[in-house]
Amino acid sequence: AIVPLVNTELLSGSGPINLAGGINNQSMAVTLGDANQTGNIFVKGIQALQLDIGAGAFDIELNGFNFIGSFGTPVTRFLNTGNLSLVGTSSMFFGGVEAPNVANTFVAGCVATNGKDISLANVTILESNLQNSFDTRFTQTFQPAVGGGNISISNLKNNKSQSVDFDIGNGTPNTITLSGTTESTGELIFRGVGNVNVAGDATLANAVRAKNLLTGEAGTTPSLAFDGNVTLTGAMEFEGITATFANGIEGAGNDLTIDFTQTTTVDGFANVANFTSKG
């Protein structure tokens, strides 16, 4: 592994950067690539106080145990315009993470913050044996539970029949926004105080569930709102406390189960094979 003792900048222009041994720079900052970088970057695990990613047209993959920051660390911004891959049991960005301009964000495992926001573009969940989650409430045994942050994800694709967890607020409300199109054949689970807004069209199978936080804190179930068209591609269950479906649900010949303990507003069903209401 590379163990630098100072702030470190790694640039290679058109050449690739392959750090198969990882980077251990817990007390310093690391910069990878710049506006002139076109060579792809691979890092097998990184620990650093701060991570800066240049605005070049290159792909970057962080693969392994990734831990960026401490208290007061600024948001990690992936400014590259190629692909971003975050693979590992934990990709922890203490001060939050943004990837506004990447072509694709490929995720396997957990992307976490310590009460800060997650904002990722064009997200595809990869096939893996890892538990997939976007968690803004990362805690350690020596820390109290944090409040949470907002999660913004565009063009989510989860077509591997794997579940994905989204964890937001504990006490203070936060918002989960899925913009663009949402495609999922796996279970989507939303936890925490606040709102889930599926802003664009969604094609769904398996389940969408709004549930309490994993720690069992009471009263932490978010509301669900689907602003676009919802089309089922397989048998589907919606579960939670309250939800609105602005444009109804197109069943496309599939079974539909709705399980809400309070109000559900649906502007009609179409082509549902078998409908079950549990709430």
Side-chain angles (χ1 to χ4, degrees):
I2 293 178
V3 186
L5 299 177
V6 295
N7 292 339
T8 303
E9 186 177 43
L10 299 176
L11 312 174
S12 66
S14 61
I17 297 174
N18 189 337
L19 302 173
I23 299 176
N24 185 351
N25 200 30
Q26 293 181 348
S27 61
M28 297 293 177
V30 173
T31 297
L32 298 175
D34 60 8
N36 298 315
Q37 179 85 25
T38 57
N40 295 334
I41 299 173
F42 174 85
V43 183
K44 186 62 175 178
I46 179 172
Q47 297 183 63
L49 180 64
Q50 182 175 329
L51 178 63
D52 298 307
I53 305 299
F58 60 90
D59 298 348
I60 182 168
E61 179 175 344
L62 305 185
N63 187 309
F65 178 74
N66 306 302
F67 196 104
I68 309 300
S70 182
F71 294 104
T73 296
V75 59
T76 299
R77 293 186 173 92
F78 290 87
L79 300 179
N80 59 305
T81 56
N83 295 325
L84 165 64
S85 297
L86 300 173
V87 178
T89 54
S90 179
S91 293
M92 171 62 188
F93 301 93
F94 223 82
V97 59
E98 297 178 2
N101 300 315
V102 297
N104 297 282
T105 304
F106 298 107
V107 173
C110 176
V111 178
T113 72
N114 190 64
K116 303 298 183 180
D117 295 347
I118 296 172
S119 181
L120 301 173
N122 305 317
V123 173
T124 296
I125 304 299
L126 299 175
E127 185 78 52
S128 76
N129 294 322
L130 301 171
Q131 182 176 348
N132 302 305
S133 65
F134 299 91
D135 184 358
T136 66
R137 302 184 63 253
F138 178 88
T139 60
Q140 294 174 311
T141 56
F142 57 84
Q143 294 176 228
V146 296
N150 300 315
I151 299 175
S152 299
I153 288 176
S154 70
N155 300 316
L156 175 67
K157 294 182 180 180
N158 176 38
N159 292 329
K160 303 298 183 181
S161 299
Q162 296 177 261
S163 64
V164 184
D165 259 80
F166 303 78
D167 289 6
I168 51 171
N170 169 31
T172 302
N174 296 117
T175 299
I176 299 170
T177 302
L178 303 184
S179 60
T181 58
T182 298
E183 303 175 20
S184 182
T185 56
E187 187 178 39
L188 303 179
I189 303 171
F190 303 98
R191 306 178 191 270
V193 175
N195 306 289
V196 178
N197 180 24
V198 182
D201 293 345
T203 54
L204 303 170
N206 197 313
V208 169
R209 306 187 192 279
K211 303 180 75 172
N212 281 348
L213 292 165
L214 290 172
T215 51
E217 292 138 317
T220 59
T221 305
S223 63
L224 301 173
F226 294 83
D227 293 341
N229 299 317
V230 175
T231 302
L232 306 187
T233 59
M236 185 67 191
E237 180 173 1
F238 294 96
E239 176 188 354
I241 292 179
T242 181
T244 59
F245 297 82
N247 294 339
I249 299 173
E250 168 56 55
N254 295 291
D255 294 345
L256 171 63
T257 300
I258 289 183
D259 183 6
F260 290 98
T261 58
Q262 294 182 14
T263 305
T264 306
T265 303
V266 185
D267 188 15
F269 304 107
N271 303 316
V272 173
N274 296 290
F275 173 71
T276 302
S277 178
K278 295 182 178 180

